[in-house]
Amino acid sequence: REKSRPQMAYEFSVHTTAGKPEATYIRLINKMAQRNGLLQAKIADWSKRKLKVLPQEVLEDINIFSLNLERNRFKDVSGISKLINLKELTLSRNEFVEFPSEIQFLVNLEKLYLNQNKIQSIPEEIFPKLQKLELLKLSTNRLSKLPTDLRCCKNLLHLGLSHNYLKELTEAVVGLPSLRELYVDNNRLSELPAELFNNKSLVTFRAASNRLREPPDEVCIGGLKQIRSYFKQLKLSQPDFVRRVKTMFLGSSMAGKSTLCRSLKDRQPVMVDVKDRTVGIEISEVQIEGFRFLFWDFAGQEEYYLTHHVFITPQALVILVIDLASYNIDDPQSFKEKVSFWINNVMMRVPDSVILPVGTHIDKCRDDREVQEKKCDIGDKIKDMLAKRELMLDQRRKNIDDKIEPKLFSDQSNKLDQVASYSLKCLDLVPIDCTNYKDIEQLQEKILDFVQDIETFPNVVKKLPHIYQAVESAIEDLIKDNQFPKHGIVSLTQLLTDIKQKVGKLDEDDLKGILRYLHYIGIIVWYEEIPALSETVFVKPSFLITLFKIIVRLDLKEQLECIPRELLLTENSLVKDRNMWAEDFHSKATLHSTAMRLLVKMTLQKGNISEDEDFVEEIAGTRHEKSKLLSLLEHFEICLPATPTKALNPQAREFVPHQQWRKSGTEAPTKACLFPSLLKHNSTVSRMWGEDKLTDVRVRIYFLPEIPHGFFHRLIIKACSLYAPYWVGQEQCLVMCNAKPLLFKQNCEEDQFIEIRYRRPEDNKFQQMWDMIQAIIQKIKTLMEQWPGLCQHICSPCTVPNCSADYEWTDLSGSDDIYDMYGDLRSVKVRVDLPGISKDVHCCIVQDVARGS
């Protein structure tokens, strides 16, 4: 029946048994097909074979149109020019240092994958011969420039150049008329050519993590449309060169952050009383000699850490405030709590930052000698800490390189290279007496020197269209003229209208792009990605912080106990309800929705902004509608929506089908929010899970350098959104799916890891187990994207008693199929010398390990 269609290309999926190579079956089927005149073009898969040279049978088969040589050991592909009909060539994850020049003779080539190699340069005179090339992937190499004749590929649609060392995009890229997708993130670009965006074919563009000045990173985040608007606006007027520095004050509680921050702002010593210490975050602004500093003072108490990830952003000056008077040279815990904890968190979250350690309270030290000793000790330990981190990264890379098949771990290796490429700058510690005017003045001068140093802050000066400054000034004028409510929350529609009246006619999409830029730099707050807040703009970010402070605070239990009785009555509540809310929050880290609404109302009353009932309902919510505050807390994974459970009611009426059922008079469960980071024990989880068993399937995800603070609690919130029921503890979480339990918990000892446990299936049906484990791992990977300086690797511990060996997982390559891991393992040499065990059993052993057992 098929002889009438001899031109059809066939792709075969072959399942093999142990000991019989897959290639044998492919050759057999291809020969049969050729003999019957059915096959003239073929797909050949020679991936994961440890090949260093092309097999002769590949070179002799000119009918191959798609050749996969991924995950081998090629440094060259001599002879490949014989495959004149080749249209698709995959050479990813090999060992190329030089671009294989023989590829130029594959004139029919349409798709070329050379990503994840170590290619340093591409010679000229290759691409002019590849006129049919449509897709070129060169990401994760070591390219510092591109050949100019790349522009000869007039049909190129997709170009991947991410994770290289490119410093500029030349006319080689600008001159590609058909280009639709361009990826240049994680390079060393400082400017993008305006001509590139005149290409109307370009629909997808990514340039994150480049430290761009023109256009700034905060513009590029807005996407292709905003970049085009940026260059369009640049042509309409002279540009402005803006010098703005976001400055974040971090450090332990009572280190003197607020005193230092306010002293720098007022340019004179300012004393801050203990009762006035920072709650949550405080924002202020100061202009110093042409530089505009946005000061963000972060509270140092542990309870406030869970909001830090919302506001800590890249390209900022981090002032790490250290109390030198209480710092103890001989106590390792002192350095950990006051210094290394903060540097590690900055290094994981914003690894390209600049940290300026400032030692405070030197007036309380014995003498200058003590100050200098502590300064030297902190400096030496910071250098040692950063050196150890480098050593750990190098050792981890070496461990991968020493494996029998390192290419199976290439994703992990590339991540290590990426993390190692970040350059956290930690400046010398500056001792200071905050009560001394001269010390404040000298620190201010040093900060100015640092931000003007182009090596330290390469993109502190940003080129912006004049309209950007005009819109920002318009918002400032509207605030000064009291055109906005006191709280500074306005509708997007109203804000757009008011700005247009100030700056004149302006395209609405262009104006939204400018607002988006102002949001990313912290001038306004507009969470357009949150449906409940997409039409709301905070023109005073400080009020947003005020909202966070209502819930995220040390004394929340005391605040609950202070809700006045007359306010309780507005929610039909009594004092006994208030006492229950306070106890539930204290013992179960659970905050009832009614209590949250009353706390918001109480705060708004204190701020004299409770007259507008509609606004109060909008922020606080109602019994039937979620509040904007709760939407924020959920979006940033600070709390988990929950319904407190109650004991089963033995007096409940029996349910009879087709008959009306009435409640027994008991009250419905109250809606509430759970704050996992505030839980104090694991007793409920331990009781529901029971004892760990030796037969449990275990997976461990190790983190380098450590598990970031708040990471595990955000993982709990993500996991509990997938599965129900669930039980949450301080460092453990148990979820259920189809009556099958899965436990995950964190270990914060020296080797920090998250362990996943699953009861071994009695029927040896592993698929549901694998699906649940893979879902948790995927949530971990998603979270890790927010900590670019963080590395991880996955292991399955041996189940033999007293054995400390691990099975280390290979890259999953985006697959969620357990048997794909087994497919990778077939190419690994397993040396077993046990009499009486056959080769087939060896394969079963490896397969069982791959299944995590």
Side-chain angles (χ1 to χ4, degrees), residues 170-189:
T170 60
E171 58 183 21
V173 177
V174 174
L176 296 169
S178 303
L179 194 63
R180 292 179 59 80
E181 299 177 50
L182 176 60
Y183 300 88
V184 292
D185 39 297
N186 289 95
N187 275 279
R188 298 175 180 179
L189 303 171

Side-chain angles (χ1 to χ4, degrees), residues 570-587:
T570 64
E571 288 284 346
N572 196 28
S573 299
L574 301 173
V575 172
K576 69 181 182 68
D577 298 311
R578 183 184 68 186
N579 295 338
M580 178 194 66
W581 300 334
E583 180 56 31
D584 278 356
F585 181 77
H586 176 69
S587 60

Side-chain angles (χ1 to χ4, degrees), residues 697-700 794-799 805-809 849-853:
V697 175
R698 290 185 294 160
V699 176
R700 286 181 177 176
I794 307 175
C795 298
S796 289
C798 180
T799 58
D806 287 334
Y807 160 69
E808 191 163 354
W809 287 26
V849 171
R851 288 173 170 172
S853 61

Side-chain angles (χ1 to χ4, degrees), residues 647-654 661-666:
L648 292 176
N649 181 12
Q651 281 78 44
R653 295 184 178 92
E654 181 182 2
W661 180 82
R662 290 197 176 105
K663 295 180 182 179
S664 60
T666 56

